[in-house]
């Protein structure tokens, strides 16, 4: 049980502690680190998507100016990345550190050149020639599943990593008895997180102690340590992973990469630090991709538009290899679980197939499968509304879970803890002025303009721990996070955490929590993270979990330390421990605030005057605790988004005019930071909706290699946001906190698709099923709508 | 190799550089000013923005030898001292205009240019001016809030002054 303690900082919009150094250019990112005697690495990458490696001719590279070594596959053949799902029938892939006899995606590393600096390494890399004999390429996930498709890994029976199915007992009966059914096929394009900082790492090996130190751009230092230990067959105690400031992650930095292993191995081989900094072209082909889902969804519903049963077939193009630590089944598992979304759907049947193709391996990206799941269910709801001739908001009202449906046991086995779905829907209609928008739309149409309104409600599964990950078949089940709180002799609290902060503001929010629990000012709390030597274990930052899990662990550890302080203070003040009050830097006796002692004085006493400690109290003000937010299926944040768009009928270009969000993530530690997370997510979602797609030609050659062929939303593509909050506490978590880091990115694809469809609805019917909605696709929808309208 | 002298953040600096050395690498490695970041090296993202003779410039598209004899200012030049931030930096802190901080130095330099050239801007104008600086974290809204605040403050100081 967590004791109540006055909240002074929790809930307030305090400025971020980390901002000062970042604003002054004093952040320390991996590429900024310079170790003595370091050498630079450059990778030679496959120009073919699928080929056997005939020979790698090093040519003059080895002798070139400044070159120390050139490594090829055979040099690192003892290591590999192998991530095996516990799902029955999972077909195992092993990704070599540098390619051996076969390459399976364009961009796979073939050789590694080590030289005095990056310029020289790049010169030498150009001298390496790889003789590759092309093999048939498998690029499309449906084609990959055809019976005559080339099978991409030895010993596999087909290109499905695994095949999964779930079905409720009453599904068949409910589906058969439903008066109406509708089926839609939906596609989300392959795209990715694309943080502004590319990946980078600096590996060092100490021959005296046989220890590796890897500085790397990761969200999950402890998992990278675990992955390196497996890949290199080295005990974890011989590996230290440090992730300093990281310039955005969003999931793409939550996997182990071959380059990290290669740099460690090269550092051991050469006895010098090895630094590698990815360039943007490499990032587009070698950093993991995401989001490529195809769903076939069937809704069975009654005359009132209420869904009686839901059926889904989910296929995800996971690329060439299963990634560590998620395996190749992550997106399928999540999509199959969350597809029924915020709706009261009892009967459900889903099949899922993660597919292997000759594309870059597939990793996490903010929302993991939830954007695609939200897109599918929300598109379905819109089609049901049209089918029944109902308003879109009304169909949602009729299907959403109500306040008394919680805890809701979803048909896919999830337990939704709490929420305010109906309320958030009504609030967003008010905030976004739905009624006014309907009038505006009528006026716009009268002027011949294409103006549409999009509306979506969704639930974001957050801070899920062991139950969820066990169910998803990952080899390492992520549950708890760890936090250590220590007061030093001068009265400053140092909070160390296993999560990582790369923009989420955790350096501040965890300090807010610790400061409240310890009765300290914010400037008396320092939060550190990103070093596996600071805390024993933990998973890191992903899946909207850090505020909940690290927040809970910090609460527990800080309370332990506060309890010791109270013992020492009570002894000093000759009062009862139960009467001690801790606030504003002092401990005082309840009812007589003048009888008090400074925390800094207590800290000094504890460490430096052990003879004055009460009996049985050790001279230590430190506690390390974990927190796993039982029961482990997550805390459910919910939100509703409402947006308007206008389409240029000549070019098909869509402008997002307004965007309103009502979100309920429980009690907010810092609303300003919550809003930043929402806005950032929505902007990424606008990219998903309108721009972002990794394109390939028919030979598997990547066509998106620069920011001029892969468009990211800029300041002129994103509107101002309107936001409002609800705060329904989770009954499952410490402080009632729910996660929210991914929510913003989940809905925009569905919202904008809905708005575009709506903008054309007066012309005729067209069903928006594919993202992104590039001008070209929108023009096709305009043509379809007009043709359908004229045909009537 | 070429000998160059550049005034970086008000201090003259001499170095012998390879003619192909990028200004971004020169700033980060030779001058040790790692506040300037490199996000794309193809002139698109704006992370590497610095001022050359007061004009905002992509340091990844500029060679070090091109700035010989000129003045280069980086993000490290903005704050007057360790206690005080520049009004633009302060506004970014107040309005939560940054998250991971990677795009931030480039953005600050672009905003500093705006503050030097056009202090009266509405949100749409600010958005236009910053369209060459990609931020993947913030969704821009709070950046625009920050720029509005900063411009207002700088205007006020100029009027008072
Ligand atoms: S690094 Fe110079 S514009 Fe991107
Ligand atoms: S703050 Fe991370 S890219 Fe802008």
């Amino acid at each position: 049980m967590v004791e109540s303690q006055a909240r002074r900082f929790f809930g307030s919009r305090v400025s971020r502690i980390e901002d000062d150094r970042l604003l002054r250019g004093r952040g320390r990112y991996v590429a900024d680190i310079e170790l003595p005697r370091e050498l630079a690495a450059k990778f030679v990458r496959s120009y073919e998507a699928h080929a056997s490696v005939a020979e790698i001719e090093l040519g003059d590279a080895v002798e070139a100016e400044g070159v120390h070594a050139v490594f090829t596959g055979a040099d690192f053949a003892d290591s590999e990345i192998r991530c095996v799902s516990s799902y029955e029938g999972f077909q195992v892939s092993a990704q070599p550190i540098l390619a051996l006899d076969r390459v399976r995606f364009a961009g796979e590393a073939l050789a590694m050149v080590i030289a005095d600096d990056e310029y020289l390494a790049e010169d030498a890399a150009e001298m390496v020639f790889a003789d590759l004999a092309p093999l048939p390429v498998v690029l499309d996930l449906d084609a990959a599943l055809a019976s005559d498709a080339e099978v991409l890994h030895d010993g596999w029976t087909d290109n499905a990593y695994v095949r999964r199915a779930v079905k409720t007992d009453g599904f068949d009966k409910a589906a058969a008895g439903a008066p109406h059914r509708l089926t839609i096929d939906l596609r989300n394009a392959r795209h990715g997180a694309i943080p502004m900082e590319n990946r980078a790492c600096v590996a060092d090996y100490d021959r005296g102690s046989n220890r590796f130190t890897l500085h790397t751009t990761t969200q999950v230092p402890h998992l990278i340590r675990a992955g390196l230990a497996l890949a290199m067959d080295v005990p974890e105690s011989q590996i230290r992973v440090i992730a300093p400031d990281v310039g955005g992650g969003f999931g793409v930095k939550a996997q182990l990469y071959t380059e990290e292993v290669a740099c460690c191995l090269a550092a051991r081989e050469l006895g010098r630090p090895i630094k590698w900094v990815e360039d943007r072209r490499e990032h587009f082909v070698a950093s993991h991709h995401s989001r490529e889902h195809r769903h076939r969804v069937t809704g069975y519903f009654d005359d009132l538009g209420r869904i009686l049963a839901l059926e889904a077939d989910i296929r995800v193009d996971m690329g060439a290899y299963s990634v560590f630590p998620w395996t190749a089944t992550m997106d399928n598992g999540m999509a199959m679980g969350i597809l029924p979304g915020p709706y009261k759907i009892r009967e459900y049947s889903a099949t899922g197939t993660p597919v292997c193709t000759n594309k870059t391996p597939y990793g996490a990206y903010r929302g993991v499968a939830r954007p695609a799941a939200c897109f599918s269910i929300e598109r379905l709801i819109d089609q049901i509304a049209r089918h029944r001739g109902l308003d879109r908001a009304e169909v949602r009202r009729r299907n959403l879970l109500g306040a008394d449906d919680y805890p809701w046991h979803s048909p896919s086995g999830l337990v939704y803890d709490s929420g305010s779905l109906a309320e958030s829907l009504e609030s967003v209609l008010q905030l976004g002025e739905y009624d006014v928008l309907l009038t505006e739309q009528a006026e716009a149409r009268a002027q011949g303009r294409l103006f549409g309104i999009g509306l979506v409600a969704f639930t974001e599964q957050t801070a899920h721990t062991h139950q969820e990950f066990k169910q998803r078949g990952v080899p390492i089940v992520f549950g708890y996070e760890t936090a250590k709180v220590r007061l030093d002799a001068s009265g400053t609290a140092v909070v160390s955490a296993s999560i990582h902060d790369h923009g989420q503001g955790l350096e501040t929010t965890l300090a807010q929590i610790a400061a409240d629990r310890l009765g300290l000012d914010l400037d008396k709390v320092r939060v550190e993270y990103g070093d596996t030597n600071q805390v024993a274990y933990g998973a890191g930052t992903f899946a909207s979990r850090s505020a909940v899990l690290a927040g809970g662990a910090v609460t527990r550890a800080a309370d332990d330390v506060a309890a010791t302080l109270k013992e020492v203070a009570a002894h000093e003040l000759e009062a009862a421990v139960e009467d001690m009050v801790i606030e504003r830097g002092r401990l005082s006796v309840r009812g007589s605030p003048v009888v008090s002692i400074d925390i800094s004085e207590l800290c000094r006493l504890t460490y430096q005057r052990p003879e004055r400690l009460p009996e049985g109290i050790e001279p230590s003000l430190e506690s390390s605790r974990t927190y796993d937010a039982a029961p482990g299926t997550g805390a459910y944040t919910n939100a509703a988004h409402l947006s308007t768009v206008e389409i240029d009928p000549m070019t098909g270009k869509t402008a997002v005019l307004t965007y309103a969000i009502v979100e309920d993530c429980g009690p907010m530690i810092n609303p300003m930071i919550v809003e930043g997370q929402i806005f950032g997510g929505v902007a990424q979602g606008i990219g998903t909706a309108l721009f972002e797609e990794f394109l390939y030609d028919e030979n598997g050659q990547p066509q998106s290699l620069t920011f001029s062929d892969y468009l990211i939303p800029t300041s002129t593509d994103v509107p101002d946001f309107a936001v409002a909050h609800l705060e329904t506490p989770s009954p499952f978590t410490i402080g009632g906190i729910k996660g929210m880091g991914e929510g913003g990115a989940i809905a925009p694809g569905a919202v904008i698709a809905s708005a575009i469809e709506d903008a054309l609805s007066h012309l005729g019917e067209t069903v928006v099923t594919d993202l992104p909605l590039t001008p070209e696709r929108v023009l096709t929808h305009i043509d379809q709508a007009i043709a359908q309208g004229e045909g009537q | 190799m070429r000998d160059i002298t550049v005034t970086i953040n008000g201090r003259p600096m001499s170095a012998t550089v390879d003619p192909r050395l990028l200004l971004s690498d020169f700033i980060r490695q030779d001058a040790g000013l790692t506040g300037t970041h490199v996000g794309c090296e193809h002139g698109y993202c704006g992370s590497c923005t610095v001022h050359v003779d007061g004009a905002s410039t992509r340091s990844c598209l500029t060679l070090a030898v091109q700035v010989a004899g000129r003045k280069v200012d980086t993000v490290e030049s903005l704050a007057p001292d360790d206690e005080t931030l520049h009004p633009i930096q302060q506004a970014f802190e107040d309005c939560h205009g940054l998250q991971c901080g990677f795009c931030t130095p480039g953005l600050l330099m672009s905003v500093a240019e705006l503050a030097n050239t056009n202090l009266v801007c509405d949100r749409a104008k600010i958005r236009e001016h910053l369209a060459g600086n990609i931020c993947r974290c913030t969704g821009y809204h709070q950046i625009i809030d920050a720029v509005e605040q900063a411009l207002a403050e700088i205007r006020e100081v100029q009027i008072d002054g």
Side-chain angles (χ1 to χ4, degrees):
Chain A
M1 190 53 212
V2 174
E3 265 183 77
S4 72
Q5 163 74 20
R7 283 178 169 178
R8 186 163 155 228
F9 298 108
F10 190 114
S12 62
R13 296 174 176 261
V14 298
S15 297
R16 297 198 321 169
I17 294 165
E18 52 269 58
D19 284 355
D20 191 78
R21 70 167 191 278
L22 298 176
L23 286 162
R24 291 174 184 272
R26 292 179 185 165
R28 193 163 187 256
Y29 300 84
V30 175
D32 303 342
I33 291 169
E34 215 180 287
L35 298 184
R37 302 177 68 241
E38 74 177 22
L39 298 172
K42 180 77 193 169
F43 290 92
V44 179
R45 298 186 181 275
S46 173
Y47 53 89
E48 293 285 353
H50 192 202
S52 52
V53 181
E55 203 194 336
I56 297 180
E57 296 167 21
L58 302 185
D60 296 333
V62 185
E63 302 299 322
E65 185 196 342
V67 170
H68 291 251
V70 183
F71 296 106
T72 59
D75 296 310
F76 299 152
D78 292 340
S79 295
E80 62 183 18
I81 295 179
R82 177 187 285 260
C83 196
V84 182
S85 166
S86 60
Y87 287 157
E88 207 187 311
F90 182 79
Q91 305 200 85
V92 179
S93 67
Q95 183 173 12
I97 304 310
L98 296 170
L100 294 164
D101 53 342
R102 195 169 168 189
V103 284
R104 293 185 179 81
F105 67 96
E108 187 164 358
L110 291 159
M112 180 191 202
V113 178
I114 310 289
D116 282 332
D117 67 38
E118 251 186 302
Y119 288 76
L120 296 171
E122 223 162 288
D123 289 344
E126 277 175 18
M127 299 172 193
V128 176
F129 174 72
D131 186 3
L132 305 176
L135 294 167
V137 292
V138 176
L139 289 175
D140 179 80
L141 69 88
D142 287 322
L145 294 174
S147 55
D148 59 345
E150 173 94 356
V151 175
L152 296 181
H153 289 278
D154 298 336
W156 285 29
T157 51
D158 62 4
N159 289 318
Y161 280 100
V162 73
R163 289 175 198 271
R164 302 266 299 152
V166 294
K167 193 175 182 178
T168 53
D169 294 339
F171 173 80
D172 288 334
K173 192 164 163 237
H180 310 286
R181 61 179 279 181
L182 255 175
T183 298
I184 40 174
D185 284 293
L186 304 125
R187 286 166 182 247
N188 284 258
R190 176 170 274 251
H191 60 289
I194 319 287
M196 294 324 297
E197 179 201 40
N198 291 300
R199 288 182 297 133
C201 61
V202 189
D204 194 12
Y205 181 74
D206 178 46
R207 283 181 172 164
S209 63
N210 293 333
R211 278 201 206 137
F212 292 94
T213 302
L214 179 72
H215 296 81
T216 187
T217 49
T218 191
Q219 310 168 219
V220 291
H222 290 82
L223 291 176
I224 297 305
R225 183 179 66 182
L228 286 173
L230 286 170
M232 303 194 297
D233 195 18
V234 165
E236 288 199 17
S237 58
Q238 275 168 237
I239 304 170
R240 176 180 182 188
V241 174
I242 299 173
D245 285 322
V246 170
F250 318 111
V252 73
K253 293 173 183 166
Q255 288 88 228
L256 176 69
Y257 284 90
T258 52
E259 293 89 350
E260 291 170 316
V261 183
C263 287
C264 286
L265 294 173
R268 181 167 66 185
E269 200 57 37
L270 300 175
R272 291 180 67 167
I274 305 295
K275 179 176 187 172
W276 170 69
V277 181
E278 185 182 53
D279 68 30
R280 188 53 71 178
R281 270 179 88 89
E282 277 185 298
H283 185 86
F284 278 116
V285 295
S287 286
H288 297 155
H289 293 175
S290 295
R291 294 276 198 265
E292 189 171 4
H293 281 235
R294 285 186 199 166
H295 297 176
R296 166 164 291 188
V297 181
T298 303
Y300 300 85
F301 52 98
D302 65 14
D303 293 342
L304 297 174
R306 291 179 304 204
I307 300 177
L308 306 172
L310 176 70
E311 191 174 2
D313 178 49
I314 293 158
R315 287 146 293 146
V316 189
D317 183 340
M318 300 304 292
Y321 299 100
S322 174
V323 303
F324 183 93
W326 315 108
T327 80
T329 64
M330 160 178 65
D331 266 55
N332 255 268
M334 187 102 213
M336 287 170 78
I338 201 71
L339 208 128
Y343 301 110
K344 205 167 175 168
I345 296 170
R346 290 198 159 79
E347 305 301 342
Y348 179 51
S349 169
T351 48
T353 319
V355 182
C356 183
T357 62
N358 290 124
K359 295 187 199 156
T360 301
Y362 188 109
Y365 175 25
R366 197 177 206 165
V368 175
R370 280 159 285 182
C374 175
F375 185 62
S376 290
I377 191 75
E378 292 301 301
R379 295 277 59 227
L380 180 68
I381 296 268
D382 280 357
Q383 304 319 309
I384 291 174
R386 182 140 72 181
H387 185 279
R388 302 312 306 143
L390 292 166
D391 181 75
R392 287 171 292 168
E394 182 54 28
V395 180
R396 286 179 169 81
R397 266 182 213 117
R398 291 178 187 181
N399 283 284
L400 283 175
L401 291 165
D404 28 337
D405 291 317
Y406 292 103
W408 171 252
H409 291 261
S410 88
S412 58
L414 304 173
V415 187
Y416 295 9
D417 61 333
S418 60
S420 57
L421 284 157
E423 213 182 325
S424 58
L425 181 73
E426 301 311 326
S427 314
V428 88
L429 293 172
Q430 271 179 23
L431 179 70
E433 303 185 309
Y434 190 50
D435 293 339
V436 180
L437 293 180
L438 290 173
T439 319
E440 251 180 68
Q441 182 176 47
E443 284 164 12
R445 284 180 176 170
Q447 298 160 7
R449 287 160 50 209
L450 303 176
F451 177 94
I453 307 165
L455 172 69
V456 156
F458 68 99
T459 172
E460 177 191 1
Q461 184 182 5
T462 76
H464 28 287
T465 57
H466 44 89
Q467 271 308 326
E468 168 72 17
F469 288 107
K470 196 177 80 192
Q471 186 271 111
R472 271 201 243 163
V474 291
I476 299 176
V477 170
F478 316 112
Y480 57 91
E481 289 301 326
T482 307
K484 190 167 79 186
V485 173
R486 190 183 77 234
L487 276 169
D488 69 10
S490 48
T492 303
V494 180
V495 176
S496 316
S498 55
I499 52 84
H500 193 275
D501 179 8
H502 33 281
Q504 296 87 343
L506 290 153
E507 202 169 321
T508 303
T509 46
L510 295 183
Q512 289 178 261
I513 292 175
D516 280 351
R517 306 307 296 185
L518 293 167
L520 291 171
D521 279 334
L522 265 187
D523 63 4
K524 286 270 187 280
V525 182
R526 212 182 72 219
V527 175
E528 47 181 44
Y529 50 82
D531 183 342
T532 53
N533 277 10
Q534 286 164 349
V535 286
Y537 231 102
T541 290
F542 53 90
S544 306
R545 67 207 308 275
S546 297
V548 177
L549 302 178
V554 168
T555 304
R556 285 180 167 174
D559 286 356
D560 287 350
V561 173
T564 312
L565 282 179
K566 286 180 183 173
E567 299 262 5
V568 179
H571 188 70
E572 276 300 310
L573 301 173
E574 296 177 353
V577 176
E578 312 76 71
D579 290 340
M580 289 293 110
V581 180
I582 182 166
E583 69 189 356
R584 306 235 169 204
R586 300 182 75 72
L587 273 89
S588 56
V589 179
R590 196 183 316 275
S592 13
V594 283
V595 188
S596 72
I597 183 166
D598 260 19
I599 289 179
S600 56
E601 178 59 13
L602 281 171
C603 290
R604 197 187 62 76
L605 274 177
T606 307
Y607 289 110
Q608 298 171 356
R609 299 297 303 269
E611 85 284 2
R612 281 169 63 173
L613 292 181
E615 187 131 341
I617 294 294
E618 291 179 25
S620 161
L621 292 169
E622 176 171 323
S623 171
S624 179
R625 295 292 298 270
T626 66
Y627 180 57
D628 71 351
T633 54
Y636 288 72
T637 283
N638 61 261
H641 291 197
L642 177 70
S643 174
T644 56
V645 303
E646 179 154 1
I647 301 167
D648 180 334
M650 298 308 292
T651 62
K653 189 171 168 3
T654 302
V656 182
L657 304 177
T658 62
Y659 206 107
I661 306 125
V662 172
E663 176 152 295
D664 183 346
C665 62
M668 293 180 283
I669 307 168
N670 186 328
M672 178 185 83
I673 288 176
V674 166
E675 285 164 11
Q677 291 296 304
I678 297 174
F679 299 160
V682 171
Q684 284 180 315
I686 289 174
T688 295
L690 295 177
F691 309 120
E692 296 182 41
E693 183 166 18
F694 293 132
L695 294 166
Y696 289 84
D697 75 2
E698 65 280 8
N699 300 315
Q701 287 300 318
Q703 305 295 296
S704 317
L705 293 169
T706 68
F707 282 132
S708 40
D709 26 59
Y710 183 96
L711 301 182
I712 283 191
T714 67
S715 50
T716 49
D717 298 317
V718 176
D720 279 336
F721 298 111
V723 67
H725 306 282
L726 298 165
E727 295 189 82
T728 310
S730 171
F732 290 174
T733 67
I734 291 179
I737 306 171
K738 299 177 180 181
M740 53 70 55
E742 298 167 285
I746 291 174
V751 180
I752 287 166
S754 172
I756 288 177
E757 198 173 278
D758 181 54
L760 306 178
S761 61
H762 62 298
L763 302 176
E765 188 175 307
T766 180
V767 184
V768 174
T769 54
D770 292 13
L771 296 179
L773 288 153
T774 56
E776 212 179 340
R777 283 207 179 101
V778 172
L779 284 178
T780 309
H781 283 296
I782 296 176
D783 291 346
Q784 274 172 4
I786 292 173
Q788 196 274 343
E790 283 170 351
Q792 286 213 326
Chain B
M1 294 302 236
R2 297 270 184 81
D3 292 330
I4 58 169
T5 300
V6 186
T7 305
I8 296 197
N9 298 341
R11 286 197 198 162
M13 173 178 159
S14 299
T16 307
V17 300
D18 195 333
R20 65 174 174 171
L21 183 71
L22 296 176
L23 177 58
S24 50
D25 287 335
F26 176 75
I27 291 170
R28 292 176 47 79
Q29 287 157 21
D30 296 60
L33 296 166
T34 54
T36 299
H37 297 152
V38 174
C40 70
E41 261 185 358
H42 53 255
Y44 208 95
C45 74
S47 303
C48 66
T49 306
V50 297
H51 290 183
V52 175
D53 292 338
S56 77
T57 303
R58 302 283 206 235
S59 62
C60 77
L61 292 186
T62 309
L63 296 171
V65 290
Q66 288 176 280
V67 299
R70 302 170 72 180
K71 269 177 40 204
V72 174
D73 292 299
T74 69
V75 67
E76 286 91 344
S77 70
L78 288 177
D81 57 57
D82 275 2
E83 308 311 313
T84 331
L85 291 171
H86 185 281
I88 299 171
Q89 292 169 313
Q90 188 58 52
F92 268 64
E93 181 178 316
D94 295 346
C95 302
H96 192 27
L98 68 156
Q99 290 182 24
C100 78
F102 197 81
C103 69
T104 311
L107 259 161
L108 294 173
M109 297 312 283
S110 291
V111 177
E113 183 186 52
L114 182 66
N116 286 336
T117 50
N118 188 358
L119 275 178
V120 191
C121 283
D122 61 9
R123 291 179 78 89
K125 272 267 153 41
I126 296 170
R127 284 183 183 276
E128 246 166 64
H129 183 81
L130 298 183
N133 288 81
I134 303 179
C135 173
R136 191 59 155 169
C137 292
T138 61
Y140 304 106
H141 184 110
Q142 290 156 314
I143 291 177
I144 311 302
D145 291 347
V147 179
E148 273 190 313
Q149 176 184 317
L151 295 184
E153 229 144 78
I154 296 168
R155 272 197 314 264
E156 226 160 84
V157 171
Q158 288 188 352
I159 293 165
D160 291 354

